[in-house]
Amino acid sequence: MGTRLGPYEIVGPLGAGGMGEVYRARDERLKRDVAIKVLPPSYTQDADRLRRFELEAQAAGALNHPNITAVYDLGTHDGAPYIVTELLEGETLRARLAGGALPVRKAVDTAVQIARGLAAAHEKGIIHRDLKPENLFLTKDGRVKILDFGLAKLTQTDAPGGQQTNLPTATAGTEAGVVMGTLGYMSPEQVKGQPTDQRSDLFSFGAILYEMLSGSRAFHRGSAAETISAILREEPPDLSATNRNVQPGLERIVRHCLEKNPEERFYSARDLAFDLEALSSLSGTGEAAARTGTPGVRPSRRFLAAAVVVAALVGAGLTFAVLRRGGPARAPSFRQLSFRRGVIWDARFGSDGTSVFYNAAWEGGESEVLVGRADGSDARPYGLKGADVLAVAPNGDVAVALGAKFSGPFSRKGTLARTASTGGGAPRELLEDVEAADFSPDGKDLAVVRMSAGRRRLEYPPGKILYETAGWINGARFSRRGDRIAIVDHPVVGDDGGAIAVVDLQGKKTTLTPVYASLWGLAWSPDGSEVWFAAAETGGNRALRAATLTGKTRVLFAGAGALNLHDVSRDGRVLATHEVIRVGLVVRGPGAPAERDLSWFDWTLLGDMSSDGRTVLFTESGEGGGAGYSCFLRSMDGSPAVRLGEGQALSLSPDGKRVLALVHPTGDRKLAIYPTGAGEPKVFSLPNLFVTTAAWLPDGRRILLTASERDKDERVYLVDAESGDPKPLTPEGHTVPNGMRLVDAKRFVARGPKGSVALWSIDGGEPVAPTGLRPNDLFHGAVGKDGIVWLRRGGRGSLPAHLVRFDLATGKEEPWRDLSPADPTGIVDVITVRVAPDGSSYAFSYGRQLSDLYAIEGLK
């Protein structure tokens, strides 16, 4: 055409609509074709709208995501504003839907990409407000692009109009009484003109996904009034009525998006994307994540206060790849037993073989014991809240842990009690601080795992120590004959890497497997010749495996995602949960009006915060972080994270120029010092020391660390950063709270036996116990001026995390802040917290677990 808009030469028209005319243009400077949208002349008559347009276009331009149309430039021509975006080749989703419903596989892949794009925008505070098939573009190479981000709130109608099927948006999308969006895809709160947030986009998303699967609009009626009434009061027809290929798990996702009350929807597009990706990978529809380059949502293994997972909503009948010894791949049968959104800790078959006991916390509520049937019948409350299921006796009695709380990352403890399977009468309390238990085959006694003097002990009968470790023990299961007990032996507290071992009744321990990167759950095979368990050699994508007593291992079942094995019946049925793990990072910088999520990959575990409270140091130990652990640094302004090197991130130097990391945390441990800018890293070993935590001292030359010698308890050491020479500062049995430095020029806080806390001096001398501290207090963040610290009352696992500002000198305290993610569903803990020395900023990592319980048949 020859017309020029600034540096762009118009090639030809692409289309027109309510938002203006769109042209294909050529940018000769960068030798690329672009799309230019020229907005209507009415925009030139309102300075306020022009200003908002510029702000929104700038915000959209800041979004850099493969599923959001890239904004290149912004300008005006003859007073009319225009926006320059990438040129897309393909068609809109509306055009694709003209041919009817999409195949389920394609619909899920498309939905995953849309959800990922929404998540990226929502995390930057940008809400679309007019999501519809017309604003979703399907490129020729299979990508989905969200159009018009940041522009939806600018549209308005010049006249009210009558029977419209599209209600344009108004100018102030968050003000009460303003209607925004496209009728038929608007959320109930939009229709009512109420304030909206990101959950409004998720309702629109649900309506679009419904249409992709059914070929029909969820709420479209003959008039605007009827459509509004449907949005507010009606549910769309069941998807299964129009598409038999829609799995129940997928329909539940759609229904969860379309809840009338925003409080009952998914809270974030990130969670929604995780659920869809899990469903996608399990049903073989994982292309979307691969195309977008988004890391798969797989579990990790480092420092999780009980495993955290995001729900994999899987319908019955999905096909998995199963590896069998010496035979072709065949799929076992899966029967889903749980259907609510929440976390399941433990599950056991009842003594009758038809009932199933498990404990779960649904929708952010308190954990309780449930009993259902292995055929999938609805579970009912067993009458015990705040308890974990541990074991079921041959006579039907059930062993539970009352008042179960986290005793450390991954492990929970409570008061061991025994109750009848009928649920009648109060449980009889037996032992305190029990983490695992199992009935002997005759049901007369129990083997238990509990902590004493900082060490985990396997006892049978209770009081007789068969095995103890400075690490931790996951589970204890009697063999079918009762002559030995199988355990998961984890060498490192806070890490779920471990090996399968058996201990006979004389205390002889035999290790059957190598140390796996992630190992959860175990039970004996039906004939008692093997121990079955769930483990991953690298990462956290745990498969079901088996080990003989001679150490031969094999794979029973390998599918997408992670499994946790809970029980195996004598007839070979397996109880397992399917899990996808997520650890996230939330920050609030100095002067920031609100918190923001700075999660990077799938396992963003906070390590430290800079002295000025503007930078966070964290570890990525999941699939996104690579085969091992990766140390990252990221500014709270949201700029991209910088990978510093391998290892677990521990401490950022006071001047912000160096980082301490622990390399090979599950093997030959070494300390690494990484420069945050230019420079060479330094890695050194500490012979004979097994390091668990380390922190820089204020001088930036010395390191305070907690470590142990072989077969000895931990103690605190002072290490010179140049020579690497360690000097012990405390007796054995003392540790420095993770992330703590000196209280003043010479003193540091150390926790001793039974949780006692004292102030020690690096120059020696007797410790001093501050008044007002409690054994279960958790220290968070650097020490502020005049000995001010931030404590978490209530210990690990209590939500929200209640922080107080505590004066070590006087013992006085005052409430400071309660920390928890906005969506409590599946949140099992606020794992790590860091507070700036002046209290001006803070950051915390949280863990989320949503589990689906299955009864599996056909494993051999």
Side-chain angles (χ1 to χ4, degrees):
M1 294 175 58
T3 303
R4 298 190 68 85
L5 292 180
Y8 307 98
E9 181 177 357
I10 301 299
V11 176
L14 290 175
M19 288 295 294
E21 298 175 333
V22 184
Y23 298 92
R24 184 188 188 106
R26 180 71 176 173
D27 183 353
E28 286 296 334
R29 300 169 302 172
L30 299 178
K31 305 298 182 183
R32 67 182 176 187
D33 291 334
V34 297
I36 296 182
K37 177 174 288 187
V38 182
L39 298 181
S42 60
Y43 275 76
T44 65
Q45 302 171 11
D46 189 332
D48 185 60
R49 294 183 72 194
L50 278 175
R51 181 185 62 82
R52 285 197 305 276
F53 163 68
E54 292 175 354
L55 292 175
E56 291 294 331
Q58 290 167 2
L63 296 175
N64 181 17
H65 191 275
N67 297 123
I68 297 176
T69 306
V71 175
Y72 295 149
D73 196 6
L74 177 69
T76 58
H77 178 74
D78 292 337
Y82 64 83
I83 188 169
V84 182
T85 68
E86 63 178 312
L87 182 66
L88 304 176
E89 301 287 345
E91 62 181 346
T92 65
L93 178 59
R94 171 59 67 214
R96 181 71 59 88
L97 289 174
L102 304 183
V104 173
R105 180 187 183 94
K106 182 63 178 177
V108 173
D109 283 350
T110 301
V112 167
Q113 296 190 61
I114 298 169
R116 278 296 178 192
L118 287 175
H122 291 171
E123 287 169 8
K124 289 186 176 292
I126 301 175
I127 304 170
H128 196 289
R129 295 182 174 87
D130 196 19
L131 202 64
K132 54 187 176 182
E134 289 82 354
N135 282 335
L136 298 169
F137 198 92
L138 310 180
T139 67
K140 290 182 177 179
D141 64 356
R143 291 181 184 269
V144 179
K145 295 282 187 175
I146 305 177
L147 309 177
D148 286 348
F149 246 120
L151 299 180
K153 67 159 60 177
L154 300 174
T155 331
Q156 68 177 13
T157 182
D158 294 327
Q163 301 296 325
Q164 299 180 8
T165 57
N166 290 292
L167 284 181
T169 56
T171 60
T174 58
E175 296 176 4
V178 177
V179 177
M180 300 179 56
T182 297
L183 195 59
Y185 301 95
M186 294 168 64
S187 65
E189 57 267 32
Q190 280 180 294
V191 168
K192 296 176 183 177
Q194 296 175 343
T196 60
D197 59 17
Q198 77 280 356
R199 292 170 294 184
S200 181
D201 277 355
L202 301 188
F203 185 94
S204 303
F205 172 94
I208 294 167
L209 180 53
Y210 181 94
E211 189 170 344
M212 286 194 290
L213 293 168
S214 68
S216 302
R217 301 190 189 188
F219 302 106
H220 182 70
R221 302 293 187 269
S223 68
E226 291 172 321
T227 299
I228 290 174
S229 178
I231 292 171
L232 294 176
R233 301 177 181 86
E234 300 175 16
E235 299 290 341
D238 290 344
L239 284 168
S240 56
T242 57
N243 189 338
R244 292 186 177 181
N245 294 323
V246 174
Q247 303 288 350
L250 181 55
E251 178 147 17
R252 286 195 298 276
I253 290 178
V254 175
R255 295 292 177 185
H256 196 34
C257 292
L258 293 178
E259 293 286 355
K260 307 297 186 187
N261 182 357
E263 299 295 332
E264 297 178 3
R265 292 178 211 142
F266 285 98
Y267 182 79
S268 73
R270 181 181 290 274
D271 285 352
L272 172 57
F274 290 161
D275 285 3
L276 284 167
E277 281 185 333
L279 183 66
S280 170
S281 63
L282 287 170
S283 57
T285 61
E287 295 89 351
R291 281 195 299 267
T292 62
T294 304
V297 185
R298 302 178 186 172
S300 179
R301 57 244 177 238
R302 189 67 186 171
F303 289 103
L304 176 60
V308 293
V309 295
V310 177
L313 297 174
V314 185
L318 299 185
T319 301
F320 294 77
V322 181
L323 306 180
R324 293 185 182 275
R325 180 172 50 187
R330 290 185 297 166
S333 64
F334 283 70
R335 181 177 294 277
Q336 190 167 347
L337 305 183
S338 68
F339 300 93
R340 297 179 65 182
R341 191 167 179 254
V343 53
I344 295 173
W345 300 122
D346 294 286
R348 297 289 187 271
F349 283 110
S351 59
D352 58 5
T354 61
S355 57
V356 174
F357 293 86
Y358 62 96
N359 55 286
W362 300 132
E363 286 85 36
E366 183 182 9
S367 176
E368 66 175 328
V369 178
L370 304 168
V371 58
R373 297 183 61 81
D375 61 6
S377 301
D378 289 342
R380 58 178 174 80
Y382 183 61
L384 291 176
K385 287 188 175 292
D388 287 359
V389 173
L390 298 181
V392 178
N395 69 350
D397 286 1
V398 180
V400 296
L402 302 176
K405 300 290 184 183
F406 291 109
S407 53
F410 298 104
S411 56
R412 292 163 63 85
K413 69 178 181 181
T415 299
L416 176 66
R418 184 169 182 163
T419 184
S421 63
T422 58
R428 179 164 57 92
E429 297 184 4
L430 303 175
L431 289 171
E432 294 183 344
D433 298 332
V434 172
E435 296 182 345
D438 194 30
F439 283 103
S440 57
D442 60 10
K444 294 181 179 179
D445 216 334
L446 286 148
V448 300
V449 174
R450 55 178 172 169
M451 180 184 288
S452 178
R455 300 176 72 85
R456 260 81 174 196
R457 295 174 173 175
L458 172 65
E459 302 176 10
Y460 179 74
K464 179 184 176 181
I465 301 173
L466 297 182
Y467 171 67
E468 65 177 346
T469 176
W472 63 289
I473 299 170
N474 175 15
R477 305 301 298 270
F478 267 103
S479 64
R480 300 293 186 190
R481 295 194 303 174
D483 58 343
R484 50 176 58 91
I485 301 169
I487 62 172
V488 180
D489 192 19
H490 298 277
V492 181
V493 174
D495 191 288
D496 69 341
I500 295 295
V502 294
V503 182
D504 66 21
L505 302 190
Q506 288 70 48
K508 180 183 177 181
K509 175 198 165 196
T510 303
T511 300
L512 304 183
T513 70
V515 174
Y516 288 92
S518 177
L519 202 167
W520 289 12
L522 80 165
W524 289 86
S525 64
D527 63 3
S529 64
E530 295 177 313
V531 179
W532 290 6
F533 58 98
E537 293 178 345
T538 61
N541 199 9
R542 293 185 301 275
L544 296 184
R545 302 171 185 267
T548 67
L549 295 179
T550 59
K552 293 182 179 180
T553 62
R554 64 188 179 100
V555 176
L556 291 166
F557 172 86
L563 293 172
N564 185 8
L565 187 145
H566 294 280
D567 203 7
V568 178
S569 68
R570 286 188 175 272
D571 61 6
R573 289 169 298 145
V574 172
L575 280 181
T577 45
H578 184 276
E579 303 163 343
V580 181
I581 291 190
R582 176 76 188 161
V583 174
L585 174 63
V586 172
V587 304
R588 186 170 183 175
E595 296 176 348
R596 64 184 304 178
D597 195 301
L598 283 191
S599 305
W600 190 239
F601 293 136
D602 56 327
W603 196 277
T604 307
L605 183 68
L606 177 66
D608 202 3
M609 176 189 291
S610 61
S611 298
D612 63 3
R614 298 182 182 275
T615 304
V616 286
L617 176 71
F618 62 87
T619 305
E620 284 289 348
S621 59
E623 299 300 319
Y629 299 71
S630 294
C631 179
F632 285 86
L633 198 67
R634 190 177 190 187
S635 172
M636 287 193 187
D637 64 9
S639 55
V642 177
R643 186 181 186 273
L644 301 179
E646 180 186 2
Q648 175 201 342
L650 296 178
S651 180
L652 186 60
S653 64
D655 61 6
K657 294 182 179 180
R658 291 179 296 170
V659 162
L660 274 178
L662 189 60
V663 183
H664 303 305
T666 59
D668 180 20
R669 295 187 159 200
K670 298 179 180 179
L671 277 179
I673 300 176
Y674 294 122
T676 57
E680 293 294 325
K682 176 183 179 180
V683 180
F684 59 92
S685 297
L686 295 169
N688 304 319
L689 285 185
F690 192 82
V691 180
T692 53
T693 64
W696 289 101
L697 295 190
D699 59 19
R701 295 183 294 104
R702 294 175 296 172
I703 300 167
L704 199 66
L705 60 85
T706 300
S708 61
E709 299 179 53
R710 182 178 296 275
D711 298 324
K712 293 185 178 181
D713 288 335
E714 292 177 314
R715 65 196 303 183
V716 182
Y717 292 83
L718 186 66
V719 176
D720 185 276
E722 292 299 324
S723 67
D725 295 331
K727 172 188 175 183
L729 297 179
T730 68
E732 291 181 31
H734 291 76
T735 62
V736 173
N738 195 21
M740 293 282 294
R741 301 188 181 96
L742 292 187
V743 172
D744 49 36
K746 294 184 180 296
R747 296 184 301 164
F748 62 93
V749 173
R751 190 182 301 279
K754 298 182 179 180
S756 61
V757 177
L759 292 176
W760 295 73
S761 173
I762 60 175
D763 293 335
E766 291 298 316
V768 177
T771 59
L773 292 178
R774 305 169 190 171
N776 63 347
D777 286 340
L778 299 178
F779 288 79
H780 291 307
V783 179
K785 293 181 180 180
D786 302 321
I788 299 298
V789 296
W790 284 266
L791 301 178
R792 177 177 176 179
R793 296 295 198 196
R796 187 176 298 279
S798 57
L799 292 172
H802 178 61
L803 268 65
V804 300
R805 186 177 181 273
F806 185 85
D807 190 326
L808 284 170
T810 65
K812 294 182 179 179
E813 68 176 69
E814 58 184 41
W816 188 68
R817 195 176 299 272
D818 287 345
L819 301 180
S820 182
D823 179 6
T825 303
I827 298 298
V828 296
D829 197 14
V830 171
I831 307 169
T832 55
V833 182
R834 294 292 178 267
V835 183
D838 61 359
S840 63
S841 63
Y842 61 87
F844 64 90
S845 282
Y846 62 87
R848 191 188 301 275
Q849 176 174 339
L850 304 172
S851 314
D852 284 327
L853 180 64
Y854 288 87
I856 310 172
E857 296 186 24
L859 294 178
K860 294 181 180 179

